[in-house]
Amino acid sequence: MTTAEFSKHTWKTRRRWTWRPLWLYAGAAVIVLWCLGPFYWMVVTAFRDVGHTFDATPWPAHPTLDNFRAAFDTSGGDHFGRALLNSMIVACATTALALLIAGPAAYALVRLPMRGRPKVLAAVLCASMFPGVAILTPMFQLFTDIRWLGTYQALIVPNISFALPLAIWILTSFFAAMPWELEKAALADGATPAQAFRKVLLPLAAPGLFTTAIIVFFSAWDEYLLSSLLSNGNPDVAPVTVAIANFAGSQPHQIPYTAIMAAGAIVTLPLVAAVLVFQRRIVTGLTAGAFK
């Protein structure tokens, strides 16, 4: 290759590598706008005056805080403040019980001798993808018979049944990548398997447990299908997803779009803030099972 040909080849290579990051950033910008665009529009509408609800300007027209006051107003029969407390109770109880069951289950699947372990894990993964609408009617009938409709347990138990397979799957992959020499050393020092699991492995599994807790909490916080039916219209247990869907306007047959958007922003902003604050821990927990 002559000097001129080498220079031409080098120039083409540099130009190709110069343009590649630009396409990468452009693609990432499109994805970010596609994902955050609806959320941005929700926040804009939340601060927009009711008379300008359908204004197409990309910033709040006649900004006001009245929509947030209307979201917490109970004069029209809405109970958004109570619904926030209900969602917190249901999501926290679901997360705690799911971790309490999923931790020992994942440990047993990884460490204890068991025939058909891959089949069990496949069944767990299939259970996490099972559609909730398929069991909605029999669950409604069951809870009616045992008088659970309109209670907290009617919302917590179904959430656990759907969150538990995902929690077991995540923690199984995490436990499988842990250094088991530490457990063997604890057993050699006289610890029982339960003590080794509780005092040695659980502290090491904190990133995976934290990631699983965040995912389970978000799933329980956002659930609507089962809650809309199993809460049975009881405002004392209905979560925020049901409360927002039942928002009533100040006028008959009027949908309070701005108040709904304000309530949606109140519900969503803490979750977004939590993801931004703990994103490094979440990524660490999700990728911990992929490396030895």
Side-chain angles (χ1 to χ4, degrees):
M1 179 181 293
T2 63
T3 303
E5 292 175 343
F6 178 77
S7 300
K8 184 178 180 180
H9 174 73
T10 303
W11 179 78
K12 289 182 177 180
T13 303
R14 288 180 178 177
R15 185 178 63 176
R16 184 170 65 251
W17 282 103
T18 301
W19 283 100
R20 181 171 296 180
L22 296 179
W23 285 108
L24 180 63
Y25 294 144
V30 170
I31 294 174
V32 170
L33 291 176
W34 178 267
C35 295
L36 297 183
F39 175 74
Y40 172 76
W41 195 255
M42 177 183 68
V43 175
V44 168
T45 308
F47 287 97
R48 183 169 286 166
D49 186 78
V50 176
H52 299 79
T53 301
F54 301 103
D55 197 324
T57 55
W59 50 82
H62 302 274
T64 179
L65 296 177
D66 291 340
N67 299 320
F68 294 91
R69 300 188 187 98
F72 287 97
D73 186 15
T74 59
S75 60
D78 300 326
H79 302 276
F80 182 66
R82 175 68 187 186
L84 282 173
L85 177 61
N86 295 336
S87 288
M88 186 63 65
I89 293 174
V90 172
C92 289
T94 300
T95 302
L97 292 175
L99 291 181
L100 185 64
I101 301 172
Y107 172 80
L109 285 172
V110 174
R111 291 298 295 164
L112 300 182
M114 179 185 302
R115 297 181 60 183
R117 181 182 290 110
K119 295 181 180 179
V120 174
L121 290 175
V124 168
L125 185 60
C126 292
S128 67
M129 297 183 290
F130 195 82
V133 69
I135 62 173
L136 187 58
T137 300
M139 192 174 295
F140 179 83
Q141 184 61 51
L142 173 62
F143 288 171
T144 301
D145 295 339
I146 62 178
R147 302 180 183 276
W148 271 18
L149 284 182
T151 61
Y152 283 123
Q153 57 266 31
L155 306 180
I156 295 172
V157 172
N159 279 331
I160 293 176
S161 64
F162 286 102
L164 194 57
L166 181 61
I168 293 176
W169 181 266
I170 296 175
L171 291 178
T172 298
S173 62
F174 189 86
F175 278 127
M178 294 182 63
W180 297 107
E181 292 78 7
L182 297 177
E183 182 192 20
K184 295 179 180 179
L187 295 176
D189 289 339
T192 64
Q195 290 175 333
F197 171 74
R198 187 177 68 256
K199 297 182 178 180
V200 177
L201 296 181
L202 278 184
L204 295 176
L209 292 172
F210 185 84
T211 301
T212 307
I214 289 291
I215 295 174
V216 172
F217 183 89
F218 286 1
S219 176
W221 183 271
D222 295 335
E223 201 281 322
Y224 170 75
L225 178 63
L226 297 174
S227 300
S228 62
L229 187 63
L230 300 179
S231 61
N232 201 31
N234 185 1
D236 292 334
V237 300
V240 289
T241 51
V242 177
I244 293 176
N246 295 331
F247 261 24
S250 58
Q251 300 295 329
H253 310 294
Q254 179 187 31
I255 300 177
Y257 291 107
T258 52
I260 290 175
M261 293 300 179
I266 294 172
V267 172
T268 308
L269 281 175
L271 303 184
V272 175
V275 171
L276 293 178
V277 172
F278 299 112
Q279 60 178 333
R280 185 169 299 178
R281 286 177 173 265
I282 294 173
V283 173
T284 301
L286 288 175
T287 58
F291 303 96
K292 285 288 185 179

